[in-house]
Amino acid sequence: MPSPRTAAIIVAAGKGERAGGDRPKQFAVLAGKPMIAHSHAALSAHPAIDEVIVVIGSDQDADLREALADARHVTGGATRRESVLAGLAAIEKADRVLIHDAARPFLSAAVIDRLIAALDDAPGAVPVLPVADTIARADAALGDTIERSNVVRVQTPQAFRLDAIRAAHAAWPAGREATDDAQVLRAHGGMVVTVEGESTLEKVTHPADFAAAEARHAAVMISRSASGYDVHRLEAGEELWLGGVRIPHDKGLSGHSDADVALHAITDALLGTIAAGDIGSHFPPSDPQWKGAASDQFLAHAASLVAARGGIIDFIDLTIICEAPRIGPHREPIRMRIADILRLDASQVSVKATTTERLGFTGRGEGIAAQAVATVRVPRL
Ligand code: CTP
Ligand code: MG
C-alpha cells in the first residue's frame, strides 16, 4: 500500500484587527522573520508533508510575496471557516491534512509527528495543553468554578483524514462560524483525539502577545557557530569574483563554478551550523550544471536549508586572505552583497582581509583563501 499523502493548510487571510500594527499580524516580523514564514518553513521541511497551501486575503498578495517569495497560495474568505474551505478545495492529492493558523508561528517537528501518528486511530487529532488557572463562569459576579482537569486548551495544527473533514465541513450549516475544525468534525460524529501541545504554539492575538511569543521562542533556541574554509588558484584570463562582487584584477580565480572563495567559505560555515555536509556534497564539481555557476545560488541554498530547520542567521564573519588585490576598497560592496543574498542587515556581516606577509601560496600570489564563521540560532532538538 502506498504511504498516505499529507497536505498542510496555513490559514492567513485574517486582518489581525486585535493585534493592531501597520499590517496584518501574520506578516509582521517576529523572531527575525515574518510570522507566517516560521510555520511555513516547519511544515515545508517536515518529511511527511507533501504539499503546503497558504490561504491569504484578497488584498494580501504583496504582503505574502514579501514574506514568502514562492509559497503556493489561494484566496480565503471573510471568516476563518471560509478560508479553511478554500484551502481544502485547493489540495491536489492527499489522504490527510493539517490545518494550521498562521497566528501560531512556532511549531516543532515533534508535534507534527504526534498528530500524524494519532490519525492511525482516529479521523481527527488536535494538540492540547492543560489549564493551570482556576476556571470559572463569568457573569456579573464570579460564577461556578469549572473543574480544571476537565478542560484543556486546544491549539493548531489540527490533523484530519481528508475525506472526513471535507464531509464534516460540507454538512456544517452555512453561515454559522466554527471556532476550529475539530468542532466541525465532532459535530459530524467524527472522533477527535488529543496529543500533547506546545507552549510555543500559543496564538498571537493581542499586541502584548508578540513579545511573549518571542520570549517563548527564544527559550527553545540554541546558538550554534560553524566555520568554513576555501582556496582557489589565481590564474591569468579568469574573472575575479569575491563575496559576490566582480573585482578588477590582472588575474582571477579558477575553479568549476565562478570560484568565489569568500561565498564558498560562508556557504560551508552555514551548512556546518546544521551539520548538512559541505558545498561539494550539495553541488558536486563533477556535475556540469555548476560549471561557471554564480556562487550566490550556493549561498542562498545553504541559507534556505538553515531556514527550513527553523534557524535564524545571526552573524557572518568573513576573512579573505590574499596579497593582492587590496580588499579595502571593495569591503563595503562585499558586505552589502552578502547581506543582500542572505537577507540580513549589513550590521550582521563582517568582512575582514589579511595578507600572509608574502609567505606561503597566498603570499606568493598563487591563490586566494577565505575563512568564515557563521552564527545561527536553531530550535533545540
Ligand atoms: N483567518 C483566516 N481567514 C479569516 C479570518 C482568520 O484565514 N477570514 C486566519 C487568521 O489569519 C489566523 C487564524 O485564522 O491565522 C486565526 O484567526 P485570528 O487569530 O482571529 O486572526 P485574525 O482574524 O487575523 O485576527 P482578528 O480576529 O484580531 O482580526
Ligand atoms: Mg479573527
Side-chain angles (χ1 to χ4, degrees), residues 16-224:
E17 276 165 357
R18 286 168 291 173
D22 53 5
R23 60 174 79 184
K25 62 186 175 184
Q26 60 270 30
F27 303 112
V29 172
L30 180 67
K33 55 188 178 188
M35 186 189 295
I36 190 170
H38 290 283
S39 57
H40 190 269
L43 290 163
S44 305
H46 195 283
I49 293 178
D50 302 287
E51 53 177 310
V52 180
I53 298 159
V54 179
V55 185
I56 55 169
S58 55
D59 54 351
Q60 295 175 345
D61 278 80
D63 284 320
L64 183 70
R65 217 173 309 117
E66 204 184 308
L68 280 172
D70 11 75
R72 210 180 129 208
H73 63 278
V74 294
T75 305
T79 64
R80 183 185 181 282
R81 198 179 89 84
E82 283 174 35
S83 297
V84 168
L85 288 176
L88 286 172
I91 293 173
E92 271 168 7
K93 185 176 181 300
D95 310 292
R96 306 177 297 197
V97 60
L98 265 61
I99 303 174
H100 185 56
D101 289 341
R104 301 178 187 270
F106 308 122
L107 69 161
S108 72
V111 80
I112 298 172
D113 290 339
R114 290 197 285 275
L115 287 163
I116 289 177
L119 289 184
D120 289 345
D121 306 316
V126 295
V128 300
L129 283 183
V131 174
D133 300 318
T134 295
I135 303 289
R137 293 188 194 284
D139 306 316
L142 189 65
D144 291 343
T145 310
I146 297 162
E147 174 54 36
R148 205 163 37 214
S149 59
N150 289 341
V151 292
V152 288
R153 294 183 291 149
V154 182
Q155 304 180 313
T156 78
Q158 301 190 343
F160 304 97
R161 295 183 191 153
L162 184 59
D163 48 1
I165 192 66
R166 275 185 169 154
H169 270 290
W172 184 265
R176 186 168 145 210
E177 186 51 359
T179 62
D180 68 357
D181 302 286
Q183 182 193 358
V184 173
L185 182 64
R186 280 173 50 82
H188 195 56
M191 182 163 82
V192 177
V193 294
T194 63
V195 304
E196 188 189 342
E198 294 179 328
S199 65
T200 50
L201 268 178
E202 272 173 44
K203 191 156 75 74
V204 176
T205 305
H206 300 106
D209 298 340
F210 283 89
E214 188 123 17
R216 279 193 300 272
H217 177 249
V220 301
M221 298 295 272
I222 54 167
S223 183
R224 284 200 198 153

Side-chain angles (χ1 to χ4, degrees), residues 205-346:
T205 305
H206 300 106
D209 298 340
F210 283 89
E214 188 123 17
R216 279 193 300 272
H217 177 249
V220 301
M221 298 295 272
I222 54 167
S223 183
R224 284 200 198 153
S225 294
S227 71
Y229 178 75
D230 195 31
V231 173
H232 279 282
R233 185 184 296 276
L234 273 171
E235 277 176 11
E238 297 275 358
E239 289 183 353
L240 179 59
W241 285 87
L242 277 177
V245 174
R246 170 89 201 274
I247 294 179
H249 192 50
D250 60 346
K251 288 178 179 173
L253 291 170
S254 80
H256 198 68
S257 65
D258 65 8
D260 187 328
V261 281
L263 294 192
H264 293 185
I266 300 170
T267 302
D268 263 1
L270 281 177
L271 292 172
T273 63
I274 52 169
D278 56 33
I279 191 169
S281 53
H282 291 270
F283 305 99
S286 55
D287 187 336
Q289 70 168 305
W290 309 124
K291 188 169 165 49
S295 296
D296 56 352
Q297 61 190 303
F298 304 155
L299 184 56
H301 180 69
S304 73
L305 293 179
V306 172
R309 299 276 181 97
I312 297 166
I313 302 172
D314 279 327
F315 199 73
I316 300 292
D317 183 42
L318 169 72
T319 305
I320 299 171
I321 306 159
C322 63
E323 214 61 42
R326 288 180 48 76
I327 301 301
H330 308 290
R331 184 199 308 270
E332 283 312 304
I334 291 174
R335 271 183 88 200
M336 305 307 278
R337 181 73 189 117
I338 293 167
D340 188 44
I341 299 167
L342 295 175
R343 296 177 174 219
L344 298 176
D345 190 82

